[in-house]
Amino acid sequence: MAGQHCPDVTTFTRNQAKMADSIPLNPVRKNSRKTAYYNAGRPARYQIEDESSNLDEMPLMMSEEAFENDESDYQTLPRARVSQRHRGLGWFLCGGWKVLCTSCCECLVHTCRRKKELKARTVWLGHPEKCEEKYPKNAIKNQKYNIVTFVPGVLYQQFKFFLNLYFLVVACSQFVPSLKIGYLYTYWAPLGFVLAVTMVREAVDEVRRCRRDKEMNSQLYSKLTVRGKVQVKSSDIQVGDLIIVEKNQRIPADMIFLRTSEKTGSCFIRTDQLDGETDWKLRVAVACTQRLPALGDLFSISAYVYAQKPQLDIHSFEGNFTREDCDPPIHESLSIENTLWASTVVASGTVIGVVIYTGKEMRSVLNTSQSKNKVGLLDLELNRLTKALFLAQVVLSVVMVALQGFLGPWFRNLFRFVVLFSYIIPISLRVNLDMGKSAYGWMIMKDENIPGTVVRTSTIPEELGRLVYLLTDKTGTLTQNEMVFKRLHLGTVSYGTDTMDEIQSHIIQSYAQVSSAQSNGNSATSTPSRKPQPPAPKVRKSVSSRIHEAVKAIALCHNVTPVYESRVNGASAEPESTEADQDFSDDNRTYQASSPDEVALVRWTESVGLTLVNRDLTSLQLKTPAGHILTYYILQIFPFTSESKRMGIIVREEATGDITFYMKGADVAMASIVQYNDWLEEECGNMAREGLRTLVVAKKSLTEEQYQDFE
């Protein structure tokens, strides 16, 4: 480090040198270490000509403590004679070659390890040749070694443990005639067998990883070109390609969602391989490309996507979509809802996207750490025991040499005793351990009680036997994640699984009154009609109205989309959402949502008579027990987040024009929002103690003025 600062020493002028000669200083004793410290603190342009002071040994800076200690000797420093220092042969011999070698090595390491700077990019739809830079190949590689690094890498991983290193040193010592004890094969054969077993095991694991990577990279996808669809491998996909991904197919690269076969303009994806969550995520296609009449029109427009530079965060994205061939140009902002990250799976419909990130720049790869060699606790314990036995072995050898009185070449005798006592550390233990691990891995994969189990790392199968506590969340991990609606509590009355028929009768009665009002020419309403009803207690009417409002709130406040499998074209046809005038067959309807909780709620409202039959980005439709269709326009939707712990939706009823804000969420988040009552916290606690997941649903009626102010 000091050598790198030598150029500063020569930065002075002759005038400054003369000024330095005129400074009166008192002499002190030679070889003063404090003098070196003082000179290090002074400007480097003044250099003391003293054979005992070496510039390369001077500190780069003086600490405050050192400066305070030197203040007493301020008046006792030697007279300075300044001389210009040139970089010549003397400098090179005195240490300059070290500086040059170090600088060259650092430069070489920096060049080899230099990562390509990630930048934002402009991607033209269907034109990879227009990319400004060359982007990485879209190939997945999880291998730890290659042909060149396999043998050195495995040997390094083995000999970094004291046990194997010990046997290697002992085996190598037998090549020295004065230390040779017995035959060479008695030392090299066990060590070679251990290394052979380890290499074979690592080679098998590496071949398996290579096969998995090859299988992933060889998956075929449909690429949209000017001439039509072309089949390409996943590894051949480039930035700017238009890729078609079918239902239940893995997304090969990070893409922007352009089109879908779903008429709603949205689709669901499964992200469990990316973030570990089993809930489906809703993704929305770019409105400009979704509105195009045909798929081939993507090449008839001039459009591009501006995407931010690749980053780790999988829950955010910033970009924009621009279509230039319009007057004025169309600009759309892009967010996480318009993205399709690699390693996710399309859960509904067929999607078309433009690739923006490939290979090492994909979100899934950026969040994946490099594969490391896993070492089990058993190996670490064996390594510690080996060190302890080696120390005992050395102590025993010293005792044997001491009993001989340290006569003759006692150091050579000491090493020979160490070799003689090497059988205290059994190499057969390591052989049996490696063979046992291979057998454990094979038995796990062949176990009929756990079919389909894959042993990805054969070095730590025994770690499964060390498990004492299993800490995990319950939903979807220890359960099948199939949710069932169990209880509805309205404050004064509670309904369970055995009284759900009462709720159904209330719903049928409420909408029967609405149907009767419609037959008289009145508009349908979502609340019970005010026509004269059969005599009933006032409390009964209140409960019936509250049940009706609660069921309607649950049927509207969600992100569920009904899907109908088409039976006309067979299994190859894509599911599509139906229109309001289509025959809604209950046996052909399935629900798609981001959470099984949402599906359970909608299925329950269907069971009590209020069925969700259609939904798109702007409206949803409910079918009453009498078969009438109620249409609600979606004005605003507030998706669920882990921070807010709630979701909301603002809808306008088509028949009456009433605007209602529905919200549902966790009790801890909703307790401070809803109108105060004395039963919410207590009842939520009671249901939670029964093992039920609680959800609070609320509503607020809005006037047109209130909504316009909000909007």
Side-chain angles (χ1 to χ4, degrees):
M1 294 293 292
Q4 295 178 356
H5 288 262
C6 288
D8 296 338
V9 179
T10 61
T11 56
F12 64 94
T13 61
R14 294 183 179 179
N15 294 332
Q16 292 171 335
K18 294 179 180 179
M19 291 174 61
D21 289 334
S22 63
I23 299 176
L25 296 174
N26 298 325
V28 294
R29 61 185 181 276
K30 292 183 178 181
N31 300 330
S32 175
R33 186 171 299 180
K34 292 183 179 181
T35 303
Y37 275 95
Y38 175 79
N39 291 329
R42 300 285 293 173
R45 57 175 179 249
Y46 302 126
Q47 177 65 31
I48 301 176
E49 184 178 340
D50 191 352
E51 296 180 357
S52 62
S53 63
N54 188 354
L55 181 64
D56 291 338
E57 297 178 356
M58 299 171 80
L60 297 180
M61 63 177 62
M62 183 192 296
S63 64
E64 296 179 359
E65 180 181 359
F67 186 81
E68 293 173 358
N69 293 338
D70 290 344
E71 287 182 349
S72 59
D73 296 333
Y74 184 80
Q75 299 295 333
T76 59
L77 293 174
R79 182 179 180 84
R81 292 186 59 193
V82 183
S83 64
Q84 184 175 2
R85 182 164 182 168
H86 298 278
R87 284 188 175 183
L89 181 62
W91 172 82
F92 182 81
L93 295 177
C94 291
W97 64 274
K98 294 182 181 180
V99 178
L100 294 177
C101 292
T102 303
S103 302
C104 292
C105 292
E106 290 179 353
C107 182
L108 182 62
V109 171
H110 177 72
T111 303
C112 295
R113 294 185 177 180
R114 183 176 56 191
K115 294 183 179 180
K116 182 180 178 181
E117 184 180 359
L118 303 177
K119 299 180 180 179
R121 61 199 61 188
T122 299
V123 181
W124 291 85
L125 270 60
H127 297 284
E129 67 277 0
K130 291 186 178 181
C131 293
E132 301 173 354
E133 297 185 8
K134 185 177 180 181
Y135 298 110
K137 187 178 179 181
N138 191 46
I140 297 176
K141 185 178 180 181
N142 295 316
Q143 299 168 248
K144 293 190 291 186
Y145 309 106
N146 53 37
I147 299 178
V148 178
T149 62
F150 177 75
V151 174
V154 174
L155 291 179
Y156 170 74
Q157 294 296 333
Q158 292 301 310
F159 289 126
K160 73 178 183 179
F161 287 100
F162 182 79
L163 177 64
N164 294 335
L165 184 62
Y166 168 78
F167 285 114
L168 177 64
V169 173
V170 171
C172 291
S173 68
Q174 298 306 295
F175 289 108
V176 181
S178 59
L179 301 178
K180 185 176 181 181
I181 299 175
Y183 298 99
L184 285 176
Y185 70 85
T186 59
Y187 294 91
W188 282 99
L191 181 62
F193 183 76
V194 171
L195 296 179
V197 171
T198 303
M199 284 192 173
V200 170
R201 188 184 62 204
E202 287 289 339
V204 171
D205 291 343
E206 196 69 9
V207 169
R208 289 174 180 171
R209 283 190 287 266
C210 181
R211 288 178 178 176
R212 288 195 296 267
D213 293 345
K214 188 176 181 180
E215 181 181 356
M216 298 289 288
N217 295 327
S218 300
Q219 289 183 354
L220 296 178
Y221 291 88
S222 296
K223 174 183 174 181
L224 193 64
T225 63
V226 180
R227 296 180 298 272
K229 297 180 181 179
V230 179
Q231 295 291 319
V232 295
K233 293 182 179 180
S234 175
S235 58
D236 296 333
I237 293 176
Q238 300 177 355
V239 173
D241 286 343
L242 297 178
I243 304 298
I244 302 175
V245 185
E246 306 288 341
K247 181 181 178 181
N248 295 326
Q249 196 174 17
R250 183 186 68 89
I251 296 176
D254 290 351
M255 303 192 301
I256 295 297
F257 187 13
L258 298 180
R259 285 178 64 89
T260 177
S261 60
E262 299 287 298
K263 293 183 179 180
T264 59
S266 61
C267 77
F268 286 96
I269 60 173
R270 297 195 296 267
T271 62
D272 51 337
Q273 296 298 321
L274 184 64
D275 56 12
E277 297 182 3
T278 57
D279 297 346
W280 292 3
K281 306 295 188 301
L282 182 67
R283 292 294 182 262
V284 182
V286 177
C288 178
T289 53
Q290 180 66 25
R291 289 194 300 262
L292 295 176
L295 193 61
D297 293 337
L298 289 172
F299 290 95
S300 63
I301 64 174
S302 176
Y304 63 87
V305 171
Y306 177 80
Q308 64 178 166
K309 67 177 183 179
Q311 58 182 8
L312 294 173
D313 190 5
I314 63 175
H315 300 294
S316 66
F317 176 77
E318 295 179 1
N320 56 66
F321 174 88
T322 303
R323 180 178 177 181
E324 291 185 330
D325 56 347
C326 296
D327 191 19
I330 299 176
H331 300 279
E332 289 188 36
S333 61
L334 303 178
S335 65
I336 187 64
E337 293 183 347
N338 307 111
T339 60
L340 300 171
W341 295 145
S343 299
T344 59
V345 179
V346 178
S348 64
T350 301
V351 302
I352 298 94
V354 58
V355 178
I356 56 174
Y357 306 126
T358 56
K360 299 178 181 179
E361 296 179 346
M362 297 188 301
R363 291 290 204 275
S364 57
V365 178
L366 291 175
N367 284 275
T368 303
S369 58
Q370 198 169 10
S371 57
K372 300 179 181 179
N373 289 84
K374 298 180 175 63
V375 181
L377 292 178
L378 191 60
D379 291 326
L380 297 178
E381 292 173 0
L382 184 61
N383 201 49
R384 288 193 293 267
L385 290 175
T386 303
K387 294 178 182 179
L389 290 176
F390 175 73
L391 291 177
Q393 190 177 330
V394 171
V395 171
L396 187 59
S397 301
V398 171
V399 171
M400 298 300 294
V401 173
L403 292 177
Q404 293 180 346
F406 293 97
L407 300 176
W410 64 270
F411 190 82
R412 184 183 62 185
N413 294 336
L414 175 65
F415 198 89
R416 294 191 66 179
F417 276 120
V418 171
V419 175
L420 281 172
F421 293 139
S422 63
Y423 293 99
I424 294 178
I425 303 176
I427 194 174
S428 59
L429 178 61
R430 184 57 192 268
V431 176
N432 295 334
L433 185 61
D434 288 344
M435 296 183 65
K437 289 182 178 182
S438 302
Y440 295 157
W442 182 82
M443 292 170 64
I444 291 174
M445 289 190 293
K446 298 298 182 181
D447 195 337
E448 297 179 355
N449 296 324
I450 46 176
T453 304
V454 178
V455 178
R456 299 186 182 273
T457 304
S458 61
T459 57
I460 53 172
E462 77 282 356
E463 291 295 304
L464 294 175
R466 290 178 175 268
L467 296 181
V468 179
Y469 300 102
L470 180 62
L471 306 179
T472 175
D473 59 342
K474 62 182 186 299
T475 306
T477 305
L478 297 180
T479 65
Q480 296 180 358
N481 208 15
E482 296 179 1
M483 311 301 293
V484 179
F485 192 92
K486 289 287 188 180
R487 184 171 300 176
L488 175 66
H489 203 291
L490 300 177
T492 57
V493 61
S494 177
Y495 295 92
T497 54
D498 54 344
T499 56
M500 291 299 179
D501 53 344
E502 296 185 21
I503 297 179
Q504 185 175 7
S505 63
H506 283 297
I507 297 299
I508 294 175
Q509 180 183 359
S510 298
Y511 282 105
Q513 296 168 0
V514 173
S515 177
S516 176
Q518 284 181 339
S519 64
N520 293 333
N522 296 330
S523 299
T525 60
S526 61
T527 57
S529 175
R530 297 181 181 179
K531 292 182 63 179
Q533 302 176 5
K538 188 175 182 180
V539 176
R540 182 75 175 181
K541 291 176 58 178
S542 176
V543 170
S544 178
S545 175
R546 291 167 67 184
I547 290 175
H548 175 265
E549 290 296 333
V551 173
K552 187 173 69 171
I554 296 174
L556 291 174
C557 188
H558 54 72
N559 61 0
V560 181
T561 302
V563 174
Y564 299 86
E565 296 289 342
S566 176
R567 299 181 180 178
V568 179
N569 298 327
S572 61
E574 295 298 332
E576 57 181 13
S577 299
T578 54
E579 301 297 333
D581 56 354
Q582 187 175 350
D583 182 21
F584 302 108
S585 54
D586 295 339
D587 56 347
N588 193 31
R589 184 191 307 111
T590 57
Y591 294 111
Q592 294 177 342
S594 62
S595 171
D597 299 17
E598 304 272 76
V599 177
L601 295 174
V602 174
R603 284 178 178 169
W604 176 78
T605 60
E606 179 185 1
S607 67
V608 297
L610 198 57
T611 306
L612 176 69
V613 293
N614 185 37
R615 179 175 184 151
D616 54 29
L617 296 178
T618 59
S619 66
L620 54 83
Q621 293 169 332
L622 302 179
K623 185 174 70 172
T624 64
H628 297 286
I629 301 299
L630 304 177
T631 301
Y632 295 86
Y633 297 109
I634 301 175
L635 302 181
Q636 299 287 342
I637 187 167
F638 312 99
F640 175 86
T641 62
S642 57
E643 290 80 14
S644 64
K645 298 181 180 179
R646 60 183 183 270
M647 67 90 60
I649 185 173
I650 301 178
V651 296
R652 184 198 301 271
E653 188 174 358
E654 182 185 38
T656 62
D658 294 338
I659 301 176
T660 310
F661 180 22
Y662 293 101
M663 182 181 288
K664 69 177 181 182
D667 53 341
V668 294
M670 297 289 292
S672 58
I673 299 176
V674 300
Q675 187 176 359
Y676 173 76
N677 55 77
D678 56 356
W679 57 269
L680 178 61
E681 182 178 357
E682 180 181 356
E683 294 301 333
C684 287
N686 293 336
M687 287 189 285
R689 281 186 286 272
E690 296 179 16
L692 301 177
R693 298 185 68 176
T694 58
L695 202 62
V696 178
V697 184
K699 61 164 285 190
K700 179 179 178 64
S701 298
L702 302 177
T703 63
E704 187 69 31
E705 293 76 14
Q706 288 176 327
Y707 175 71
Q708 292 300 330
D709 290 342
F710 166 78
E711 191 179 34

